[in-house]
Amino acid sequence: MNFLKRAAPLAILAAGQVYVIVSGGFDLSVGSLITLVVVGSSMLSNNDPNATWWVISVMFGIGLCVGLINGLVVCYLKVPSLIATLGMMITLNGFVFLWSGGAPRGYLPDTFRFFGRVNIMDVPLIRMLPVALIMLVVVGFILYWLMHRTNLGRMIHAIGDNPHAAQLAGVPVNRVRITAFIISSLSAVVTGILLGGFAGVSTDVGTGYELQAITAAVLGGAMLLGGRGSVPATIAGALTLTAIFTLLNFLGLPQPVRQVVQGLILIAAVALAMYRRKRTGQ
Amino acid sequence: MAPMGPEGMPWEQYLVDEMADTTEFASEGPHTVCFSNAGVNNPWRVVGYTNMTEEVALHEEIGEFIHVDAEGSDDKQIADIADLLAGGNCDILIVSPNTTAALTPAVEDACEQLPVIVFDRGVETDCPVTFIHPVGGYGFGIQGAQFIADNVDEGANVLMLRILPGVDVLETRYSAGRRILDEAGLNVVGAEFTDGDNANTKSIVEDYLQRGTIDAVWMDAGATAVAAVEAFEDGGYDIPVFVGEDQQDFLQKWNDLDMTAIAPTYPTYQWRTPIIAAVRILAGEPVPGPEWVLPQPAITQETLNNFIDASMPPLHYAMCGCEEMPNYPQAWGGVQ
């Protein structure tokens, strides 16, 4: 249960990221958006437990704006998503620094931390049920349903596969692409709420998450150039990634060795996934 | 060892009684004080730099205070120092080096032109008028480990949490702490790197708790101490003996949960001292040198209440020596 609780933030983030990847792009801004959510929430809520709900709403509002801007820049200014979201990442990092002055200025109230921190105890069979796991199941299902059971999901696949063909077939390419960026940003907001809840405020909480999310999606078989990817497989990829990190921690290897092993495992895992895809001819 | 200097003002005290003669630097004010800063890139340095600017405001003799931020880069800091020297406006230069070896030549160059004060991390030359620093990493490591040894039984399980390898002040904290724990016959179940990340820290402690009991936790820095405490809290375990640091959030947690704990410090008040030294040097008054070793007190159960202030931000370093300064607490991000 602890493991699933720990993996939940990355799994949700990766499940959002896979929307952008399938549509043929990258979203590198999610890590800094997570940091913004955690630091911003602590600044806004000002230790007031009653502020939680409006603060969370504001954060979703910010997420919506970030996703919208990412999408608009990619679609209308024709900036490649790698650069557009890299710019957004740097901008948001700077903004967090400006806002917080380099050190967090407040705590997150317990009502905010509920989602990422609390375990519901004495549940039959499994002893404890982390709220974060419930969040993962709910958000994971919504993202699965949107991607694999609705028209939106089919259109995202279509524009990632061949945007020109999709346009000719009547897919509103820009609108779909923007929606994918918005979904990714909103999932980053959820991730930020869970991470802030799990471990409290720090000014570098989101660092590195964007690449982990992309790695998880690729481990789950998503194609980096778009057109292919699955939400459940991405979540499985995130669980695998977290399992690898936890295992390496358990083995007690020194940090530099751990990083070498981590890197090699990632390359090997993705190479294996590619090899199997080739053999199955898909 | 009792420190010398004014009682109750540790930022003006010194442990080694050797003075540097500064009569050759005496000059008329107002002075221009230049400061090449390694960075303001972590909460400790944010608090420290605030101490420094507030100290500057206390001295009318300082006409201008020029601060250049190297943003954690050796190259930038070397260039910064060269620029300050070329500008010719500085009467005195304060340097907080980013890394020791890389900044040594730049500091040597500066020494030839004007009086230099180095503080926090050192350089490999004795040309500065004084090098200001607290007792240091060994003292920090010993205070915490000795507290653990005094408060648990022989053979008890101790988890050591470290930020990252290869930083000299952190390595010295660890090596001193480790040695004390080993000599006391305690069982160090692990020494883990947390990257200074809350989520990582909490996860690591949770993992250890699944594998066995932990009777004490030693940390080389306290920024993630609360996350480590929470791992025990959330899993329903008793909180063991804890070594944290002087961050407000840890002190409050310690008080709220009535923990058995100690908070060694690397005092941020050391950022006040260079300004005081600069003013004295430019007045031709002697200052402790070539090393000005500041006392490095730990916060204990007895003194805990003096340092708790719920109006301060979570990562405010309580051993700041700043409570009596005019703009406290707003300048440090506190609410009045």
Side-chain angles (χ1 to χ4, degrees):
Chain A
M1 281 303 138
N2 262 338
F3 168 73
L4 288 172
K5 177 183 179 181
R6 194 175 306 162
L10 179 61
I12 291 175
L13 186 71
Q17 177 78 237
V18 81
Y19 275 73
V20 176
I21 292 181
V22 171
S23 79
F26 292 95
D27 188 352
L28 295 181
S29 67
V30 289
S32 54
L33 181 55
I34 291 172
T35 310
L36 176 63
V37 167
V38 173
V39 173
S41 300
S42 77
M43 306 277 289
L44 288 178
S45 60
N46 211 351
N47 304 343
D48 174 11
N50 300 318
T52 296
W53 292 110
W54 70 260
V55 168
I56 288 181
S57 314
V58 169
M59 289 305 141
F60 276 109
I62 292 176
L64 192 77
C65 293
V66 169
L68 187 65
I69 295 171
N70 280 338
L72 289 173
V73 169
V74 170
C75 289
Y76 293 102
L77 301 182
K78 304 290 178 202
V79 179
S81 63
L82 205 63
I83 303 300
T85 57
L86 181 70
M88 181 58 91
M89 165 175 136
I90 296 167
T91 310
L92 292 180
N93 273 337
F95 184 68
V96 168
F97 196 87
L98 277 181
W99 197 1
S100 65
R105 291 283 166 117
Y107 300 84
L108 291 168
D110 286 340
T111 44
F112 186 96
R113 298 197 54 185
F114 171 81
F115 303 99
R117 184 179 179 192
V118 170
N119 301 319
I120 301 169
M121 291 308 227
D122 300 321
V123 181
L125 292 177
I126 50 173
R127 197 173 78 85
M128 67 171 197
L129 179 62
V131 177
L133 182 56
I134 302 176
M135 295 286 288
L136 170 60
V137 171
V138 172
V139 176
F141 179 78
I142 295 172
L143 291 176
Y144 159 77
W145 181 79
L146 268 178
M147 181 68 118
H148 301 290
R149 288 286 176 274
T150 66
N151 232 351
L152 174 70
R154 278 185 281 276
M155 292 192 290
I156 290 178
H157 275 87
I159 64 170
D161 206 19
N162 186 336
H164 194 60
Q167 190 166 26
L168 292 177
V171 174
V173 174
N174 286 347
R175 212 186 319 153
V176 171
R177 194 167 270 161
I178 292 170
T179 311
F181 277 106
I182 290 176
I183 290 172
S184 175
S185 292
L186 292 181
S187 77
V189 174
V190 177
T191 305
I193 292 171
L194 291 184
L195 279 176
F198 176 61
V201 189
S202 66
T203 42
D204 51 7
V205 359
T207 314
Y209 263 90
E210 58 284 325
L211 294 180
Q212 285 184 30
I214 293 171
T215 312
V218 175
L219 271 181
M223 206 145 87
L224 272 183
L225 295 175
R228 187 194 148 101
S230 126
V231 170
T234 298
I235 292 178
L239 297 184
T240 312
L241 203 58
T242 313
I244 292 173
F245 292 157
T246 311
L247 181 72
L248 289 174
N249 235 346
F250 260 125
L251 292 177
L253 299 172
Q255 171 92 348
V257 180
R258 218 180 291 174
Q259 281 171 347
V260 171
V261 175
Q262 235 170 49
L264 292 180
I265 289 180
L266 288 181
I267 295 173
V270 174
L272 187 69
M274 293 300 153
Y275 175 70
R276 291 189 49 184
R277 175 157 48 189
K278 210 166 155 189
R279 275 193 31 179
T280 53
Q282 288 178 8
Chain B
M1 191 161 67
M4 286 149 282
E7 185 76 19
M9 296 166 77
W11 52 92
E12 292 193 26
Q13 294 177 343
Y14 49 97
L15 295 173
V16 178
D17 190 12
E18 193 184 342
M19 295 306 223
D21 175 49
T22 65
T23 42
E24 57 173 311
F25 303 119
S27 64
E28 290 291 310
H31 305 295
T32 300
V33 175
C34 297
F35 174 38
S36 167
N37 191 356
V40 204
N41 42 15
N42 63 44
W44 184 83
R45 302 190 76 87
V46 173
V47 173
Y49 183 59
T50 312
N51 290 348
M52 185 180 252
T53 50
E54 293 300 313
E55 180 69 37
V56 168
L58 297 178
H59 297 278
E60 285 173 353
E61 315 91 299
I62 298 178
E64 197 181 354
F65 177 64
I66 300 174
H67 170 239
V68 278
D69 179 358
E71 296 159 14
S73 150
D74 289 339
D75 296 341
K76 176 152 187 331
Q77 189 163 25
I78 291 167
D80 285 346
I81 292 175
D83 288 347
L84 287 172
L85 294 179
N89 292 324
C90 305
D91 294 318
I92 191 164
L93 176 67
I94 300 171
V95 181
S96 175
N98 190 50
T99 62
T100 299
L103 268 300
T104 300
V107 170
E108 282 171 338
D109 288 347
C111 286
E112 289 172 8
Q113 293 191 26
L114 74 185
V116 177
I117 300 168
V118 172
F119 81 101
D120 179 23
R121 301 166 199 159
V123 284
E124 290 160 348
T125 163
D126 57 2
C127 79
V129 180
T130 185
F131 166 36
I132 299 166
H133 65 94
V135 175
Y138 292 115
F140 189 105
I142 291 168
Q143 283 169 330
Q146 193 58 49
F147 179 79
I148 290 178
D150 293 343
N151 282 281
V152 297
D153 299 325
E154 203 175 325
N157 293 331
V158 184
L159 175 61
M160 301 184 83
L161 296 175
R162 312 175 57 189
I163 299 181
L164 73 176
V167 178
D168 58 355
V169 293
L170 299 180
E171 291 292 339
T172 50
R173 288 179 191 183
Y174 170 72
S175 57
R178 176 82 192 219
R179 181 156 164 200
I180 301 269
L181 295 176
D182 285 342
E183 281 175 1
L186 301 179
N187 176 31
V188 176
V189 292
E192 297 286 345
F193 293 108
T194 64
D195 288 338
D197 177 74
N198 279 329
N200 253 350
T201 306
K202 200 168 174 180
S203 300
I204 288 169
V205 178
E206 281 176 352
D207 289 344
Y208 272 91
L209 281 169
Q210 303 228 314
R211 284 189 281 174
T213 57
I214 295 174
D215 305 305
V217 176
W218 179 96
M219 303 187 80
D220 70 355
T224 60
V226 168
V229 175
E230 279 181 0
F232 289 90
E233 243 188 322
D234 294 0
Y237 300 90
D238 290 336
I239 315 288
V241 176
F242 244 90
V243 177
E245 208 182 342
D246 56 334
Q247 289 90 353
Q248 252 330 308
D249 60 350
F250 176 70
L251 300 182
Q252 290 174 31
K253 199 82 183 170
W254 170 0
N255 194 43
D256 292 346
L257 299 181
D258 210 8
M259 291 161 52
T260 305
I262 191 169
T265 67
Y266 189 57
T268 50
Y269 60 60
Q270 66 181 292
W271 289 69
R272 295 184 65 172
T273 316
I275 300 297
I276 295 166
V279 170
R280 286 193 197 161
I281 290 170
L282 292 173
E285 296 168 16
V287 293
E291 278 192 80
W292 183 335
V293 183
L294 294 161
Q296 184 175 301
I299 298 175
T300 61
Q301 189 66 52
E302 288 73 44
T303 56
L304 177 61
N305 277 325
N306 305 340
F307 291 98
I308 288 186
D309 184 348
S311 68
M312 297 307 283
L315 293 186
H316 175 68
Y317 286 71
M319 192 63 77
C320 65
C322 59
E323 294 87 351
E324 306 297 325
M325 298 183 90
N327 291 323
Y328 185 88
Q330 313 89 309
W332 287 260
V335 281
Q336 212 166 17

